[in-house]
Amino acid sequence: MFTTRPEILGTFGVVTSTHWLASAAGMAMLERGGNAFDAAVATGFVLQVVEPHLVGPSGEVPAVFYSSKTGKVEVLCGQGTAPKGATIEHYRSEGLSLIPGNGLLATVIPGAFDAWMLLLRDHGTMSLRDVLEPAIYYAEQGHPLLPRVANTIKDLKTFFETEWVTSAAVYLPEGEAPKPRQLFRNPQLAETWKRIIREGEAKGGNREAQIEGARNAFYRGFVAEAIDAFVRKTEAMDQSGARHRGVLTGDDMAAWSASYDAPQTYEYHNFRVNKIRPWGQGPVFLQTLALLKDFDLAAMGPTGAEFIHTVTEAMKLAFADREAYYGDPDFVKVPIETLLSDAYNDERRKLITDQASLELRPGRVDGYELQVERALKALRELSTTDRKVSGGEPTLASMRSARRGDTVHIDVVDRHGNMIAAMPSGGWLQSSPVIPELGFMLNSRAQMFWLEPGLPASLEPGKRPRTTLTPTLAEKDGEPYMVFGSPGGDQQEQWQLLLFLRHAHHGLNLQEAIDLPMSHTAHFPSSFYPREQKPGHLMAEETFGEGVLNDLRSRGHDVEVAPAWTVGRLVAASRDKDGLLHGAATPRLMQAYAVGR
């Protein structure tokens, strides 16, 4: 079939990400002798510069990776936790029933920097100076500003000038919004990174010691001090319509560090799929596979109404369980073994009929009845079904909203067999005011907590928010095979699932599976402020064709037709048993790119 670009093939290395400059930077690390983990770190930091509306230095990054040295698949947890002062009582005293989607009360401990440093120290080979060089170059010398970034800044111009004046100083050079594709610089951010490098190198010693020095500079040194002072002194306007001070402190940062975690896995035909555990939405993907495994998906066309209907209805059930059961396993007991079990899914599968469900239907697990009722009550009282509202990380409908950020994605596979899928996000330019001494903003991931006690995702100090960030690594026939992902908040799992199923069941290569028409549902409550839901909703690109769209309508779906090439931001890479590498990236938004040789 025709594809918008070739599936990249090679044997040396493949890097694919949501921006061509970042992919090229990662490939440069491979060319200089680095491995997949060096390349991922370099790619991640460049994305903070060239996609500042989607990710920033104070954000978070979960990753799932395979190391040929250890022979293990692991998860890197770069999701920061709620500060000590982040209690339900405090937020309620501020007059809030939901945590705003931006501002200083929405922030958790920045997790990405420490996670990248941990990965570089333990699995990389290059120095911090080497992997940060491309990002520093683009921050200092400038990069061509994406039209979407320019438009976001333009729409926020008045707000920055009147409320977030420190952001105006960075993003409105000479008092004006920058034009699309003009060179844009952030010299203060470049200086922050250069100082981190200097302080790390001043510790002396080997590569690992210098990385430890950089971690210390960020979490216990000048970066933490600047963040602490800014949060204490600043009242920032947020989406609640009021100004609030934050609760994040330098002590919170000093007490936290990134960590490694075991993946949550599910055996699906000849694949084993690895996701993050239920401190994020990753197991939704696995639950959906458990529901679908007894359907003959291969007999359904990859763009047919039966296929889209069946997958959508399975996802509705899995996402309903997310609302009722998922939360940080360090704080709540999540019955994930039951949720993935054959017995549970054999019963749940019976709920999938030839008609679209308009209900939110979490499953019933013994001993969790009261929890499920509390969750459904909170959703009834606090979420909205106003179809004019569109919040959280943007899909097509909310791309035009200037006050919401999104996510980026990175996949790397090298000639040694190392592979990593990373999903950096948070700390975007819309999340909170710029900290002048640092050149970057804080994140807004705390909006995923509930201010209702007794729910698995209720706010508690030290707890991880139930993140939507969800990279994927699939093993095939017992060997590491494929890494993939997509930005898009609650839609991440949905677009990834279409890619995976089309590849696994219909034999499409990575680029073919990505290029086919995409769809998703907003049937369940959003993870983002203001927690909207659209029962029965199904967004589908017009390229499915009127026949398929009308068939979906006849099944009861409330179909929202999207223009062609507007839904999803998938990228993917894989490695065959013989060492042949594959890479692919979506043409949608015209910025993602796979490179390799």
Side-chain angles (χ1 to χ4, degrees):
M1 61 175 279
F2 172 82
T3 56
T4 56
R5 54 187 71 175
E7 183 187 60
I8 299 296
L9 299 175
T11 55
F12 179 78
V14 169
V15 182
T16 181
S17 82
T18 50
H19 196 291
W20 68 90
L21 292 178
S23 298
M27 193 67 197
M29 299 301 114
L30 297 182
E31 297 287 2
R32 292 166 61 180
N35 64 18
F37 310 115
D38 299 310
V41 176
T43 304
F45 276 92
V46 170
L47 287 170
Q48 294 172 14
V49 179
V50 299
E51 295 198 88
H53 62 318
L54 307 180
V55 68
S58 79
E60 46 274 328
V61 57
V64 57
F65 66 94
Y66 171 79
S67 166
S68 61
K69 184 176 180 180
T70 66
K72 295 192 301 182
V73 176
E74 295 182 82
V75 166
L76 176 68
C77 177
Q79 176 56 67
T81 58
K84 290 180 182 177
T87 64
I88 290 176
E89 294 74 22
H90 175 72
Y91 283 62
R92 289 284 194 184
S93 73
E94 295 285 320
L96 299 171
S97 58
L98 291 173
I99 298 176
N102 59 12
L104 296 176
L105 277 177
T107 208
V108 297
I109 298 169
F113 186 85
D114 204 55
W116 287 129
M117 294 304 99
L118 200 64
L119 183 72
L120 183 66
R121 184 196 71 185
D122 296 344
H123 298 282
T125 64
M126 302 180 77
S127 71
L128 178 59
R129 180 176 291 275
D130 285 339
V131 297
L132 279 183
E133 185 276 328
I136 292 172
Y137 173 85
Y138 288 120
E140 201 166 47
Q141 301 301 317
H143 59 92
L145 197 67
L146 291 169
R148 288 184 181 274
V149 185
N151 292 336
T152 297
I153 296 170
K154 180 182 178 182
D155 290 344
L156 285 167
K157 182 176 183 292
T158 301
F159 181 74
F160 282 176
E161 290 171 332
T162 57
E163 293 290 347
W164 293 3
V165 295
T166 56
S167 294
V170 173
Y171 290 103
L172 301 175
E174 300 180 2
E176 295 296 330
K179 292 181 172 55
R181 299 183 181 87
Q182 79 174 55
L183 286 180
F184 181 82
R185 300 172 176 84
N186 188 343
Q188 184 56 60
L189 177 57
E191 180 51 42
T192 295
W193 282 332
K194 288 193 287 186
R195 182 175 173 184
I196 287 173
I197 293 170
R198 291 195 302 268
E199 295 198 9
E201 292 176 344
K203 300 296 182 181
N206 59 15
R207 186 185 73 93
E208 291 79 5
Q210 293 174 9
I211 293 171
E212 284 301 299
R215 295 175 76 192
N216 189 66
F218 195 100
Y219 287 90
R220 284 161 287 280
F222 79 97
V223 175
E225 291 168 2
I227 290 173
D228 183 284
F230 186 80
V231 173
R232 279 189 290 106
K233 297 175 183 177
T234 305
E235 283 191 339
M237 178 65 72
D238 58 45
Q239 283 180 307
S240 72
R243 298 178 182 87
H244 295 104
R245 295 185 190 274
V247 295
L248 178 65
T249 69
D251 288 342
D252 291 317
M253 293 184 62
W256 184 86
S257 63
S259 59
Y260 296 110
D261 197 5
Q264 192 74 54
T265 65
Y266 186 75
E267 306 284 343
Y268 182 77
H269 300 291
N270 61 329
F271 292 91
R272 170 183 285 181
V273 182
N274 296 265
K275 302 288 286 186
I276 65 174
R277 295 193 299 137
W279 49 267
Q281 72 174 2
V284 165
F285 190 102
L286 308 181
Q287 283 196 247
T288 308
L289 292 181
L291 289 163
L292 291 173
K293 74 174 186 177
D294 282 353
F295 285 96
D296 187 3
L297 298 181
M300 305 177 190
T303 61
E306 185 179 9
F307 175 73
I308 297 300
H309 169 79
T310 303
V311 173
T312 300
E313 293 305 297
M315 287 191 296
K316 289 178 182 178
L317 296 174
F319 274 104
D321 280 352
R322 181 192 73 171
E323 297 305 311
Y325 296 106
Y326 289 19
D328 187 345
D330 292 343
F331 284 73
V332 296
K333 182 173 175 55
V334 182
I336 193 64
E337 293 80 11
T338 298
L339 298 178
L340 292 174
S341 68
D342 287 344
Y344 179 81
N345 286 286
D346 287 345
E347 288 301 311
R348 295 280 279 163
R349 195 176 299 114
K350 296 174 183 176
L351 297 175
I352 301 174
T353 70
D354 60 359
Q355 286 296 302
S357 170
L358 304 181
E359 301 175 69
L360 189 70
R361 300 180 291 180
R364 305 293 166 154
V365 177
D366 290 344
Y368 288 81
E369 292 86 357
L370 290 178
Q371 176 178 301
V372 172
E373 289 305 316
R374 284 196 301 266
L376 291 175
K377 181 175 183 291
L379 294 173
R380 285 193 299 268
E381 294 177 352
L382 295 171
S383 66
T384 175
T385 55
D386 182 357
R387 292 175 179 274
K388 296 180 181 179
V389 174
S390 186
E393 300 193 18
T395 58
L396 172 71
S398 54
M399 281 288 187
R400 304 177 187 89
S401 174
R403 297 197 183 185
R404 300 175 184 109
D406 196 0
T407 300
V408 297
H409 188 79
I410 302 161
D411 296 312
V412 188
V413 184
D414 67 23
R415 66 189 185 279
H416 309 295
N418 300 306
M419 61 179 65
I420 182 169
M423 192 78 75
S425 186
W428 44 65
L429 66 86
Q430 311 92 301
S431 60
S432 64
V434 168
I435 300 169
E437 301 92 331
L438 303 176
F440 64 80
M441 306 66 61
L442 293 173
N443 63 74
S444 55
R445 192 60 54 175
Q447 67 182 291
M448 298 187 167
F449 287 116
W450 290 102
L451 296 179
E452 298 296 309
L455 304 178
S458 297
L459 177 66
E460 293 183 62
K463 191 176 186 179
R464 287 173 286 192
R466 191 202 69 199
T467 181
T468 53
L469 306 173
T470 173
T472 311
L473 188 154
E475 300 168 77
K476 183 179 180 183
D477 299 324
E479 295 187 9
Y481 171 63
M482 178 180 175
V483 282
F484 56 102
S486 172
D490 297 298
Q491 284 68 51
Q492 290 182 20
E493 299 291 22
Q494 304 188 55
W495 298 332
Q496 291 185 60
L497 194 67
L498 291 178
L499 162 63
F500 176 74
L501 294 174
R502 288 164 170 171
H503 181 64
H505 289 290
H506 301 110
L508 301 178
N509 72 33
L510 301 183
Q511 193 64 50
E512 289 171 337
I514 287 172
D515 277 3
L516 285 183
M518 304 298 293
S519 66
H520 67 262
T521 177
H523 169 82
F524 47 85
S526 168
S527 296
F528 295 84
Y529 181 90
R531 302 286 188 153
E532 73 278 9
Q533 57 181 308
K534 302 176 181 179
H537 169 268
L538 178 62
M539 178 176 279
E541 288 181 309
E542 64 185 6
T543 39
F544 277 104
E546 277 302 309
V548 170
L549 297 174
N550 286 332
D551 191 334
L552 291 168
R553 291 186 183 101
S554 73
R555 296 169 188 256
H557 295 282
D558 185 0
V559 177
E560 180 181 359
V561 180
W565 307 111
T566 56
V567 174
R569 295 184 65 204
L570 286 156
V571 295
S574 66
R575 183 179 190 270
D576 295 340
K577 287 185 177 182
D578 61 2
L580 183 64
L581 308 180
H582 305 247
T586 184
R588 297 164 174 91
L589 304 191
M590 296 187 290
Q591 61 191 64
Y593 243 88
V595 296
R597 69 171 179 86

